[in-house]
Each structure stands twice: as C-alpha cells, then as structure tokens.
Amino acid sequence: MRPLPDPDDSSAPFWDAAARGSLALQRCAACKAFRHPPQPMCSACTSFESEWVPASGRARVWSWVVAHPPVLPAFADKAPYNVVVVELEEGVRMIGNLLDGAGDDIAIGMEVVVAFDDAGEGVTLPQWRRA
Amino acid sequence: MAGSLHAMRDVAAIVGIGHTEFSKNIGRPERTLALEAIKAALDDAGLAPSDVDGMVKFTLENTMEVEIARNLGIDNVRFFGDVAYGGGAGCGAVGHAAMAIATGMAEVVVVWRARNRGSGGRPWASKGNRVGGDMQWYLPYGLSRPVDQIAMLARRHMHEYGSTDEHLCAIAMAFREHAQNNPNAMMRTPMTRDDYFGARFVSEPLRLFDCCLESDGGLAVVLTSAERARSLRHPAALVRGFSQGIGPRHTVMTNYFTPDPLDSPGHYAAKDLWNNAGVGPDEIDCVQIYDAFSPLVVISLEAYGFCKPGDGGPFAASGALRAHGGALPCNTSGGSLSEAYVHGMNLIVEGVRQIRGTSVNHVPDCETVMVSSGNGVPTSALVLRRA
C-alpha cells in the first residue's frame, strides 16, 4: 500500500487543509517567519505561537530526480517516476511530484503551481503542475 | 574551551583491526559477525578479551554490549555508549572511545559494526503504510531510498557548481581501480567509462556505479592509550583529533528545508576537526571519504577544504584521488563503492592500514590520514597519525 502521512500535532493542520483543497503554511505568530515542515517552535525566535496561512500555491523547481526500479513495492507500477523539491514563493521548500512532467523536460527554476491529489484513505497530497 | 580538547591529542590510538569477509549473503547472524570481528581485532592487537573495559557502537547497531561482553568473557565494562545517525557515526564512535581513554574512564575500548541485511531488511523501508515524523514529507511522494534523497542533492550541486556525471564516473572508476588490488573487495572487475555510463539509472542523475555496494560483514577496531600502544606489535594509529557535526535546522538524512542544503553537516564537522587535530587539509597524506554515493565524495572534499567550494567534481576527476600518483589518495581499499558497505567502518580500518604501511595500495610516507563518516546525515570525522 502507498505510504501516507501519519499526522502529528504539528502537521495535522497541513494535512487537514490539503484534504480541503488548500495549501496552508505554518507561520510564526511572533516574528512572521514561514516554516516547513511544521514544528512546535519557531527556529528563528523560539516562539511556540503559530498561525496557519494559505500559501499562494506558486513555486519553482529547486531540484528533481527520476527514481528507477527497484523502488518500494507501492511505487513499482509508477516507476520510473519523478520527485521534485520545489521552493514556494513564501521561501519554504516542499517535496512533491510533478504530475505532468517526464524526466526529460523538468528544469531547475521551472514555475509550477499546486495541485491536489486524492491519495485515498481520506488523504489528499499537495502536488505540482507546470504553471 | 577548545583548549581542553587538545589534551586528548595523540593520547589514544587504534592498535588492532579485524573484520570478516564481505558478501551479499554472509549466512551468519550479526552477533556472530560482531564477535568474529572483535576477536580478530583483539588478536591483531595482541590483547585478550579480558583486557577490554570499554565499548562504543553505532545506535544503528543491532548487537548489544551485554551479549558481546558475555560471549567474549569481558567481565567488567566501565564505559559504554553509542553514537547516532546511521553512517554518520563511525568516526564519532572512535572519538568517543578515545575520549574515554583520555579521561581514564577505560583503558581498552572496542568499536564495532556488524551487518547482515537479511536479518532486518532495509532500515529505511517503511513497515506499515502510515508514516509519521520527518518521513511523512518524503515517503508519500516516493522519495524513499537513500539514493533518491542524495540524487536530489547531487542534481542541485550540478546546477549550482557545474559538477557532472563525468566527475562522478571518475570517482567510481578510481575506487574500483583500488579494489582490484584488494582480495577482500566485493567488486574487483575493472570498470571502464563505458561500463559506468552503460549501467542503469537508479535515481537520475545517479547510476548503478554511483551507489555503494550492499554488503554483509563485521568490522572492529581496538583502542588503548598511546603509552600502552608502544608495547604492542603494530605501529599505533594515534587519534590526533576527531569531531562531530550537526548544522542548522537539520532534518534526517538530507536537508532540503534549510536555506542552503549543500551546506552539509561535513562543513560543520570540518571546522572542528582541523581545530581539534591541529592540522589542516594540506597535511593529510591519504583520505577515506564516506562514499555511500559518489556525489557525497564531491561534497565532502569541498566541505573539508581539500579543494575550493564547488570544485569537488573537477578535483576528483583530475586524478588526485588515485592511490598511485594522486595528490590525495582516497578510499584506497575500494571504499563503499567497490570494497564493501558497512557504514564506513572499512574506511576507518583502511585508514589504520595506511598508517601502518600495510594497505594493498600503500601510500608512501603516509603519516596522517583523515577519515570522514556519512555526510548528509549528522556526521563525524577523524584524523589518525603515525606514532
């Protein structure tokens, strides 16, 4: 079965928002620094206070790979498949997949926008498409 | 503060090395491998198990101090500990052993690593389908294998600094050349450029020969005081200094979420290593760099200052890493890419051989060796010096 997130106290708001079709980012309520992955404290100012803010949904590809077999059994039917790290406008980075990309035509710096992928079991994964 | 660390310079030494054979299916459990390796290291040192009073291991290690001690008849262990973060731990474990000796907590300390991959599966493979912690951000997207995680960094390094797969090919070929002289090495067939580029992609941009071997085996080293080492049979490999390093905002094995992911844990361990050892990269005669994947060699060469930032690729491809004639002989027994992959313990053992002058690819006048542990993960590094 495909690996799916097991939300914790910090990450639950992210996954809940995704299930509603929204890309949300944790932001420190004290110093307004965005952070991802979500965590209890702000690394910059150590505040425990945070808020959740809708992201613009726009990002650029920071790097990418194409995974070839042998991969985890859950992904075997997709291989070879791409995985990207994107850098959002808000300055944080996320791991995802480019839903409409093959390995040959992904480029670092390419503009992408968020898309939502129903992964089953009530889980929606934020993903990316070319802008 | 740093001054007190200098008090441990050259106070402890590696005096014994031992290991099993390396294979894909060794047919013996990890406990047996550990015992064989530790016994061999003690025999090599000319010490008895009853001499041992300290034990340091990887947190990754499945074997336990109590079963090792019980089997070997070690009746009193006065210092024991383990070092975290997978393959980043090896040099740190040797360093902790050296600290125990320097402080008088123990006199004879063993450090070991035993692995039988069939006995536990790949440690990073998920067991259920729900994944918590840091991996919830990686696994649902299929960025699941260490090779995928490092490949992501490798491509970014290519983008930022212009490193290429030609550079990675040169690294793989150099270490395979070294392995050809090594009867313990798992991969000894010559590798040509066509072999490298003709092999399958595993995670683009990385190909088969960019990836370490999959190995079962056990290795161990024994440390004691430099003073006691003088009465033992081999030239001592003094622990000149060691360091450990975690950089800012770190996450698991690779850290895409920090401002500069290419600012590796090795960059941080490097500063302290040279300060603690009181030597610099120019004084290193031979280097053993953790090579789970070839781009880690590029990144680590830069991190430890063996070349300018961003120059790791061209430097590696210049012939500098070759055991015979290179300016900086590297991974002279074949490394993780061609000898065996046991979380870098074989690199430490080869470092000791170079100090002793017993490597199959001996570096003439080798006096000072640097060893690094896994980069990308919280890391450690070691400088060994001939007594």
mmCIF file of all heavy atoms in Angstrom, chain B residues 93-114:
data_model
loop_
_atom_site.group_PDB
_atom_site.id
_atom_site.type_symbol
_atom_site.label_atom_id
_atom_site.label_comp_id
_atom_site.label_asym_id
_atom_site.label_seq_id
_atom_site.Cartn_x
_atom_site.Cartn_y
_atom_site.Cartn_z
ATOM 1 N N ALA B 93 32.243 7.379 16.957
ATOM 2 C CA ALA B 93 32.382 6.262 17.898
ATOM 3 C C ALA B 93 33.849 6.066 18.270
ATOM 4 O O ALA B 93 34.172 5.852 19.440
ATOM 5 C CB ALA B 93 31.801 4.990 17.284
ATOM 6 N N VAL B 94 34.730 6.146 17.286
ATOM 7 C CA VAL B 94 36.167 6.044 17.591
ATOM 8 C C VAL B 94 36.587 7.210 18.485
ATOM 9 O O VAL B 94 37.342 7.043 19.445
ATOM 10 C CB VAL B 94 36.991 6.023 16.287
ATOM 11 C CG1 VAL B 94 38.482 6.158 16.575
ATOM 12 C CG2 VAL B 94 36.714 4.744 15.502
ATOM 13 N N GLY B 95 36.070 8.381 18.203
ATOM 14 C CA GLY B 95 36.397 9.551 19.010
ATOM 15 C C GLY B 95 35.906 9.420 20.446
ATOM 16 O O GLY B 95 36.621 9.791 21.385
ATOM 17 N N HIS B 96 34.707 8.891 20.624
ATOM 18 C CA HIS B 96 34.195 8.690 21.982
ATOM 19 C C HIS B 96 35.071 7.686 22.728
ATOM 20 O O HIS B 96 35.338 7.847 23.926
ATOM 21 C CB HIS B 96 32.749 8.196 21.941
ATOM 22 C CG HIS B 96 31.760 9.277 21.612
ATOM 23 N ND1 HIS B 96 30.484 9.304 22.134
ATOM 24 C CD2 HIS B 96 31.858 10.375 20.811
ATOM 25 C CE1 HIS B 96 29.837 10.368 21.667
ATOM 26 N NE2 HIS B 96 30.636 11.027 20.859
ATOM 27 N N ALA B 97 35.498 6.653 22.019
ATOM 28 C CA ALA B 97 36.393 5.666 22.637
ATOM 29 C C ALA B 97 37.697 6.343 23.062
ATOM 30 O O ALA B 97 38.217 6.100 24.159
ATOM 31 C CB ALA B 97 36.673 4.539 21.648
ATOM 32 N N ALA B 98 38.225 7.202 22.196
ATOM 33 C CA ALA B 98 39.466 7.910 22.518
ATOM 34 C C ALA B 98 39.284 8.821 23.724
ATOM 35 O O ALA B 98 40.171 8.932 24.577
ATOM 36 C CB ALA B 98 39.934 8.712 21.302
ATOM 37 N N MET B 99 38.128 9.464 23.802
ATOM 38 C CA MET B 99 37.856 10.345 24.952
ATOM 39 C C MET B 99 37.789 9.541 26.237
ATOM 40 O O MET B 99 38.268 9.990 27.290
ATOM 41 C CB MET B 99 36.537 11.089 24.750
ATOM 42 C CG MET B 99 36.617 12.249 23.798
ATOM 43 S SD MET B 99 35.301 13.473 24.046
ATOM 44 C CE MET B 99 33.858 12.500 23.679
ATOM 45 N N ALA B 100 37.194 8.360 26.164
ATOM 46 C CA ALA B 100 37.103 7.524 27.360
ATOM 47 C C ALA B 100 38.495 7.178 27.865
ATOM 48 O O ALA B 100 38.771 7.193 29.066
ATOM 49 C CB ALA B 100 36.305 6.255 27.054
ATOM 50 N N ILE B 101 39.378 6.873 26.909
ATOM 51 C CA ILE B 101 40.757 6.531 27.284
ATOM 52 C C ILE B 101 41.473 7.760 27.818
ATOM 53 O O ILE B 101 42.179 7.703 28.832
ATOM 54 C CB ILE B 101 41.483 5.921 26.083
ATOM 55 C CG1 ILE B 101 40.876 4.531 25.781
ATOM 56 C CG2 ILE B 101 42.985 5.815 26.330
ATOM 57 C CD1 ILE B 101 41.233 3.979 24.421
ATOM 58 N N ALA B 102 41.283 8.902 27.163
ATOM 59 C CA ALA B 102 41.973 10.121 27.564
ATOM 60 C C ALA B 102 41.560 10.571 28.967
ATOM 61 O O ALA B 102 42.347 11.168 29.694
ATOM 62 C CB ALA B 102 41.705 11.236 26.550
ATOM 63 N N THR B 103 40.316 10.291 29.327
ATOM 64 C CA THR B 103 39.852 10.715 30.652
ATOM 65 C C THR B 103 40.102 9.659 31.717
ATOM 66 O O THR B 103 39.880 9.910 32.895
ATOM 67 C CB THR B 103 38.342 11.000 30.649
ATOM 68 O OG1 THR B 103 37.650 9.797 30.267
ATOM 69 C CG2 THR B 103 37.996 12.137 29.709
ATOM 70 N N GLY B 104 40.543 8.479 31.291
ATOM 71 C CA GLY B 104 40.774 7.417 32.266
ATOM 72 C C GLY B 104 39.550 6.585 32.593
ATOM 73 O O GLY B 104 39.593 5.737 33.490
ATOM 74 N N MET B 105 38.441 6.809 31.848
ATOM 75 C CA MET B 105 37.237 6.020 32.110
ATOM 76 C C MET B 105 37.444 4.549 31.729
ATOM 77 O O MET B 105 36.823 3.667 32.306
ATOM 78 C CB MET B 105 36.053 6.566 31.297
ATOM 79 C CG MET B 105 35.495 7.868 31.813
ATOM 80 S SD MET B 105 34.705 7.694 33.431
ATOM 81 C CE MET B 105 33.271 6.712 33.007
ATOM 82 N N ALA B 106 38.273 4.323 30.720
ATOM 83 C CA ALA B 106 38.526 2.950 30.274
ATOM 84 C C ALA B 106 39.931 2.893 29.701
ATOM 85 O O ALA B 106 40.505 3.919 29.337
ATOM 86 C CB ALA B 106 37.500 2.525 29.218
ATOM 87 N N GLU B 107 40.463 1.679 29.613
ATOM 88 C CA GLU B 107 41.820 1.527 29.082
ATOM 89 C C GLU B 107 41.854 0.876 27.706
ATOM 90 O O GLU B 107 42.738 1.159 26.913
ATOM 91 C CB GLU B 107 42.662 0.665 30.028
ATOM 92 C CG GLU B 107 43.055 1.390 31.293
ATOM 93 C CD GLU B 107 44.034 0.599 32.135
ATOM 94 O OE1 GLU B 107 44.713 -0.300 31.594
ATOM 95 O OE2 GLU B 107 44.094 0.874 33.344
ATOM 96 N N VAL B 108 40.954 -0.057 27.482
ATOM 97 C CA VAL B 108 40.932 -0.767 26.193
ATOM 98 C C VAL B 108 39.484 -0.768 25.707
ATOM 99 O O VAL B 108 38.608 -1.343 26.346
ATOM 100 C CB VAL B 108 41.443 -2.215 26.342
ATOM 101 C CG1 VAL B 108 41.355 -2.944 24.997
ATOM 102 C CG2 VAL B 108 42.886 -2.227 26.866
ATOM 103 N N VAL B 109 39.252 -0.115 24.590
ATOM 104 C CA VAL B 109 37.887 0.098 24.113
ATOM 105 C C VAL B 109 37.729 -0.489 22.720
ATOM 106 O O VAL B 109 38.569 -0.257 21.854
ATOM 107 C CB VAL B 109 37.544 1.600 24.093
ATOM 108 C CG1 VAL B 109 36.077 1.811 23.719
ATOM 109 C CG2 VAL B 109 37.856 2.242 25.445
ATOM 110 N N VAL B 110 36.656 -1.234 22.521
ATOM 111 C CA VAL B 110 36.371 -1.762 21.193
ATOM 112 C C VAL B 110 35.233 -0.966 20.562
ATOM 113 O O VAL B 110 34.308 -0.530 21.254
ATOM 114 C CB VAL B 110 36.024 -3.271 21.207
ATOM 115 C CG1 VAL B 110 37.231 -4.079 21.649
ATOM 116 C CG2 VAL B 110 34.821 -3.574 22.061
ATOM 117 N N VAL B 111 35.349 -0.758 19.265
ATOM 118 C CA VAL B 111 34.318 -0.102 18.452
ATOM 119 C C VAL B 111 34.030 -1.056 17.306
ATOM 120 O O VAL B 111 34.968 -1.540 16.675
ATOM 121 C CB VAL B 111 34.818 1.248 17.910
ATOM 122 C CG1 VAL B 111 33.750 1.916 17.035
ATOM 123 C CG2 VAL B 111 35.230 2.173 19.054
ATOM 124 N N TRP B 112 32.778 -1.343 17.038
ATOM 125 C CA TRP B 112 32.477 -2.345 16.017
ATOM 126 C C TRP B 112 31.196 -2.023 15.266
ATOM 127 O O TRP B 112 30.408 -1.185 15.683
ATOM 128 C CB TRP B 112 32.371 -3.737 16.641
ATOM 129 C CG TRP B 112 31.089 -3.976 17.390
ATOM 130 C CD1 TRP B 112 29.995 -4.663 16.943
ATOM 131 C CD2 TRP B 112 30.761 -3.526 18.707
ATOM 132 N NE1 TRP B 112 29.016 -4.662 17.905
ATOM 133 C CE2 TRP B 112 29.449 -3.975 18.996
ATOM 134 C CE3 TRP B 112 31.453 -2.777 19.685
ATOM 135 C CZ2 TRP B 112 28.827 -3.715 20.215
ATOM 136 C CZ3 TRP B 112 30.822 -2.514 20.893
ATOM 137 C CH2 TRP B 112 29.513 -2.975 21.139
ATOM 138 N N ARG B 113 31.030 -2.701 14.142
ATOM 139 C CA ARG B 113 29.809 -2.616 13.342
ATOM 140 C C ARG B 113 29.613 -3.963 12.661
ATOM 141 O O ARG B 113 30.542 -4.456 12.025
ATOM 142 C CB ARG B 113 29.940 -1.521 12.274
ATOM 143 C CG ARG B 113 28.750 -1.437 11.338
ATOM 144 C CD ARG B 113 27.619 -0.647 11.960
ATOM 145 N NE ARG B 113 26.453 -0.658 11.060
ATOM 146 C CZ ARG B 113 25.301 -1.303 11.341
ATOM 147 N NH1 ARG B 113 25.141 -1.948 12.470
ATOM 148 N NH2 ARG B 113 24.301 -1.265 10.478
ATOM 149 N N ALA B 114 28.427 -4.543 12.830
ATOM 150 C CA ALA B 114 28.135 -5.833 12.204
ATOM 151 C C ALA B 114 26.807 -5.729 11.488
ATOM 152 O O ALA B 114 25.843 -5.222 12.044
ATOM 153 C CB ALA B 114 28.084 -6.936 13.256
#
